[in-house]
Amino acid sequence: MTAAMVAAHAETNVSSVSLVVNGKHRGRVSEQLAARIRDAVDELGYVVDHSASALARGHGDLVILLAPDLSNPFFAEVIAGVQDTLGDRYQLMLSVTERGEQPCVDSLRRFNGLRPAGVLVDAPDETFAAVPAAEHPVVLFDAPDSAADLNALNYDYAPAIRSLAALLAERGHRTVAYLDGSTRSATFALRRAMLAEAVTSHGLHLLDDDVRADVTVSGASAATRANLARWREGGATAVIAAADTLAYGVLAEAHRAGVRIPEDLAVASFDDLPSSAVTAPALTSIALPGAALGRAAAERLVAMLDERPLPTPTPLETVLVRRASL
Amino acid sequence: MTAAMVAAHAETNVSSVSLVVNGKHRGRVSEQLAARIRDAVDELGYVVDHSASALARGHGDLVILLAPDLSNPFFAEVIAGVQDTLGDRYQLMLSVTERGEQPCVDSLRRFNGLRPAGVLVDAPDETFAAVPAAEHPVVLFDAPDSAADLNALNYDYAPAIRSLAALLAERGHRTVAYLDGSTRSATFALRRAMLAEAVTSHGLHLLDDDVRADVTVSGASAATRANLARWREGGATAVIAAADTLAYGVLAEAHRAGVRIPEDLAVASFDDLPSSAVTAPALTSIALPGAALGRAAAERLVAMLDERPLPTPTPLETVLVRRASL
DNA sequence: CTGAAAGCGCTTACAG
DNA sequence: CTGAAAGCGCTTACAG
């Protein structure tokens, strides 16, 4: 089914068909012809060929979102936020990295061949320190490393992390263990560094081992199994995890080991996933509004596509949600 | 950066460039010229334009996966399975439906314009009763309605559901409530119908109200809040949820209402997500191997693309994982 | 083994 | 307001 067939059916030519299906026919095609064309389109079920259109125009209506693997439910939120904002002017397509990898600059180049209208990159790796020139706008998010680049949207962890450090101090903790994610993303590095600083300023200290786990419940369980005794021997009475999913593994393993939470070991983490309200015990967590992040990034991209002026991006607020685990 | 520029750089023509970058040059281009072309490609960072290539060939190397919204972590598993299987011969791109919707046939048509190599559809809605003719192979999964179509991969719920019914009977339950997902997908309808039948054959009965919730923790919490008292007045001593995420909401709300689990109300569901091992109490759930489903579907698609003979698809096994909640 | 040329289906100046 | 034509960047018969 091609524009030529539609043209034949409507007894006209492909130029007029193209103008009408793209809504660019005002003052160029008579209302009568336009109606005839629309009828033919409906009747034949014609859909514009994206490849041909993108080739002719230079780009299509695709917005590509590069995201790390989706096992962390946090990303579902982000994606929903992006989707909501893009609406149907643009077609959102996701590309997901291999398990445990972060989007890298090379993948960006690979997608240039698709001639997207724009690209969003969630939690890019360090190769994005400088964003490569592309024919389309690129918006990064959860990309604290690329601070110099105006097209990055990030969280403002400071207030929530301060609250968490204060809460730890208030509860009498002195030594705190940290369970990091094994993906070496900038956002994880920042969480850890900021927490270490905040905790230190309250006179506590973060165990400086470098315990990491896949951001999955089972990965975190294994890491906890291997480190729990050592953490406690080192004096840790609390463990902070870089993501809720990691904290779930800590909870499971502590339970198995007969370690009571929060009495023997307090636990807190980052994300505040919906299921964190129903773990045993309910999890204290720094809420990261994923959908808001996705929306903000998508709005920024759309503004660039519309060539509207761009405000400096505002970091998104985070808050500590206190529950029973700490 | 175009093939013409590469050709100029390597002092040859676009035909040879095309043959070499596509690995079709054996016996057509001298090894010497091929090496010169490869050097030029590397030097200039040339990437084949997907739109132009797809237009010329008739299709590209894109595999499109249509999936329902990703808030259920189950889908992350499925996607990882697909990704692992496709490798880098094909480029996986996801398209996600709006919140709470299922992929429909119309979206399939829309993606024809991208000229994909093939399409996978996860949990399609009822418009897929007959798969429309497409220029590319289509494989459905989690699509029990399309039984007649050979290209659908499904779970065999029977053994696990029988175990669940037997366990309910063994524990002395007589009346069981059901919390369904609000998405009217065939796979949810089947779960309910099969459970009703299995339970009846053990002399129990399923409350025949039609309680549904968004497949999110908060949606399920709200639905439980509205129905918990009624369920218990109706004699229900157990509630089965169509997905773990729904069960999490039941747990949370029961806890809030002072209903003990499993003493006052037993709970079980479908999915067996990793986090179901760490809820309070740990959740009894029918394990649906998401990654295996994704792999099987992707393998089938690749077989079609390679024009290899297709075996009749075997439904994937499911087992009941018993934990404290029932 | 090498290269000029047609054609994929569209969009968009351009001429009528 | 309508239509013929060039061109987007590639692939692939085809001729040399």
Side-chain angles (χ1 to χ4, degrees), chain B residues 162-173 284 320 322 326:
Chain B
R162 265 199 302 270
S163 304
L164 177 55
L167 182 61
L168 284 164
E170 185 187 318
R171 293 279 196 260
H173 297 284
T284 291
L320 177 69
R322 296 187 186 200
L326 189 152

Side-chain angles (χ1 to χ4, degrees), chain B residues 33-51:
Chain B
L33 213 206
R36 227 159 64 223
I37 289 173
R38 273 188 287 260
D39 286 349
V41 165
D42 288 346
E43 204 167 315
L44 303 176
Y46 170 68
V47 180
V48 176
D49 185 288
H50 182 274
S51 299

Side-chain angles (χ1 to χ4, degrees), chain A residues 124-275:
Chain A
D125 72 5
E126 69 288 348
T127 59
F128 275 88
V131 181
E135 290 93 281
H136 48 258
V138 176
V139 175
L140 309 182
F141 52 109
D142 224 352
D145 259 5
S146 54
D149 188 288
L150 282 178
N151 288 314
L153 281 162
N154 292 298
Y155 287 118
D156 178 13
Y157 292 126
I161 285 184
R162 267 198 302 270
S163 304
L164 177 56
L167 183 60
L168 284 164
E170 185 187 318
R171 293 280 196 260
H173 297 283
R174 316 271 358 203
T175 303
V176 176
Y178 194 85
L179 176 56
D180 211 340
S182 56
T183 55
R184 304 191 166 263
S185 64
T187 192
F188 277 174
L190 184 63
R191 290 175 197 184
R192 181 187 194 126
M194 290 185 71
L195 184 68
E197 195 187 312
V199 135
T200 304
S201 79
H202 277 86
L204 322 190
H205 95 282
L206 212 58
L207 249 38
D208 71 347
D209 49 3
D210 184 32
V211 181
R212 290 170 180 273
D214 274 8
V215 187
T216 62
V217 176
S218 54
S221 285
T224 305
R225 201 170 315 136
N227 291 282
L228 185 55
R230 216 171 38 71
W231 281 338
R232 303 192 72 206
E233 281 157 20
T237 52
V239 48
I240 310 300
D244 279 8
T245 307
L246 292 168
Y248 298 163
V250 176
L251 295 183
E253 198 54 36
H255 182 75
R256 222 162 283 148
V259 173
R260 294 168 307 162
I261 292 175
E263 295 83 354
D264 301 331
L265 187 72
V267 177
S269 53
F270 290 78
D271 279 346
D272 190 33
L273 300 178
S275 39

Side-chain angles (χ1 to χ4, degrees), chain A residues 261-319:
Chain A
I261 292 175
E263 295 83 354
D264 301 331
L265 187 72
V267 177
S269 53
F270 290 78
D271 279 346
D272 190 33
L273 300 178
S275 39
S276 297
V278 293
T279 50
L283 195 60
T284 290
S285 186
I286 290 177
L288 306 181
L293 186 66
R295 274 195 301 272
E299 274 160 17
R300 194 165 180 83
L301 184 68
V302 170
M304 294 174 77
L305 293 171
D306 291 347
E307 297 181 348
R308 291 202 307 267
L310 290 176
T312 305
T314 324
L316 278 88
E317 279 178 38
T318 61
V319 301

Side-chain angles (χ1 to χ4, degrees), chain B residues 68-79:
Chain B
D69 89 294
L70 303 166
S71 58
N72 189 346
F74 169 76
F75 292 114
E77 276 299 296
V78 175
I79 291 162

Side-chain angles (χ1 to χ4, degrees), chain A residues 2-3 15 18 22 24 46 52 56:
Chain A
T2 68
S15 318
S18 176
N22 290 306
K24 297 183 179 172
Y46 171 69

